Amino acid sequence: MGKEYIKHIGATGGYLVAPSFEASFEEGWFDPDFWGDLADPVSKGGRGAAWFIHAAAGDLLLRHFCRGGLPGRFLRRDYVYTRVSQVRSFVEFRLLRKLYSQGLPVPEPIAAGYQRHGSVFYHASILMRRIPNAIPLSDHAGFSDMGVWQDAGACIRRFHDVGVYHADLNCMNILVSDQIYLIDFDRGRIISGGKGSDWKKANINRLKRSVEKLLGHLDASLREQLWESLLSGYRR
């Protein structure tokens, strides 16, 4: 097996890039302005920090790491730098490379980068191949979508069975395309088999809160049927 990725680290930042993109990659790829009209902001679920890129190599997705909630008002893109191995984009990139190589339904990771800001902070970015015609699970919310939700449950179970913990499992991070995909593995990790199953329950409970929030406008009976369909897929 060849190299999993190419690594370049300098005094003020660095990047990882998939070997198949090494020849064409430029560090400017992490800047949406580099792409000009080829970059379209993601309008749903991107926190204003994600772009669809129409590159010669195919359609890509660029995401800048940003904080949400109250911390995001003060330190939107700033993360405390400790060491290279803990840069958030690098951690997610390496995890995605591993999951993708195992055939799990995740986006193909293309590159990850970071840039130091002073002696304390850094900004991080990740670039991956765009999943074609993908729609968030929350957009499949009708009586005819029970099978989709069942498939989503089976997909989550597939990840859980190999110890994959998704730190932000919500309806927007479950995409429906030719199959069900999970995206956005920031702070995700692989948990060893000896850690019990409480983390799996916490994952499912987090997803349920997302369903109640995003689909709160639906009739309660419909929402419950969708959720039960997901659970039946998870348990099968």
Side-chain angles (χ1 to χ4, degrees):
M1 190 170 91
K3 292 182 179 179
E4 291 187 8
Y5 51 81
I6 310 302
K7 182 177 181 180
H8 174 79
I9 304 296
T12 60
Y15 62 82
L16 307 177
V17 61
S20 58
F21 280 79
E22 181 183 12
S24 58
F25 174 78
E26 298 181 46
E27 287 190 73
W29 284 17
F30 296 123
D31 183 355
D33 291 338
F34 172 91
W35 299 98
D37 292 340
L38 299 178
D40 292 327
V42 174
S43 59
K44 184 180 291 188
R47 284 186 180 172
W51 298 263
F52 293 127
I53 308 296
H54 307 288
D59 287 341
L60 309 176
L61 177 84
L62 169 63
R63 191 180 92 237
H64 288 173
F65 283 65
C66 288
R67 300 176 188 276
L70 184 61
R73 298 182 184 180
F74 304 99
L75 297 170
R76 181 161 169 76
R77 288 200 65 194
D78 289 332
Y79 293 90
V80 176
Y81 181 84
T82 54
R83 56 187 182 275
V84 170
S85 63
Q86 295 303 308
V87 168
R88 289 171 77 139
S89 56
F90 280 19
V91 173
E92 181 173 355
F93 178 87
R94 290 192 296 265
L95 177 59
L96 282 174
R97 292 289 293 178
K98 184 171 186 176
L99 300 181
Y100 185 79
S101 69
Q102 293 176 354
L104 287 165
V106 298
E108 178 187 1
I110 304 303
Y114 78 98
Q115 190 71 32
R116 297 284 300 273
H117 284 263
S119 60
V120 177
F121 298 111
Y122 72 92
H123 291 177
S125 306
I126 192 166
L127 193 67
M128 60 201 77
R129 197 175 294 281
R130 181 180 179 182
I131 299 169
N133 304 312
I135 299 173
L137 179 64
S138 54
D139 285 4
H140 288 269
F143 284 104
S144 62
D145 294 316
M146 301 301 167
V148 174
W149 282 68
Q150 189 173 62
D151 289 344
C155 176
I156 296 167
R157 177 62 181 269
R158 212 177 141 190
F159 281 84
H160 281 182
D161 283 349
V162 293
V164 179
Y165 170 76
H166 192 297
D168 190 18
L169 190 62
N170 64 61
C171 291
M172 300 302 297
N173 288 334
I174 302 173
L175 298 185
V176 183
S177 179
D178 58 316
Q179 60 179 320
I180 306 295
Y181 292 83
L182 297 191
I183 64 168
D184 195 352
F185 280 83
D186 181 28
R187 297 179 292 115
R189 63 187 186 275
I190 295 177
I191 296 177
S192 63
K195 295 289 186 178
S197 60
D198 287 349
W199 64 272
K200 298 177 184 179
K201 296 176 184 175
N203 242 191
I204 296 298
N205 288 338
R206 183 182 184 91
L207 177 57
K208 187 172 185 180
R209 290 194 296 272
S210 170
V211 170
E212 292 171 347
K213 178 180 179 180
L214 292 178
L215 302 183
H217 61 285
L218 295 180
D219 178 81
S221 175
L222 171 56
R223 191 169 63 248
E224 187 62 27
Q225 287 183 60
L226 292 169
W227 181 248
E228 287 302 320
S229 293
L230 184 140
L231 291 182
S232 70
Y234 184 85
R235 292 165 180 158
R236 71 185 180 193

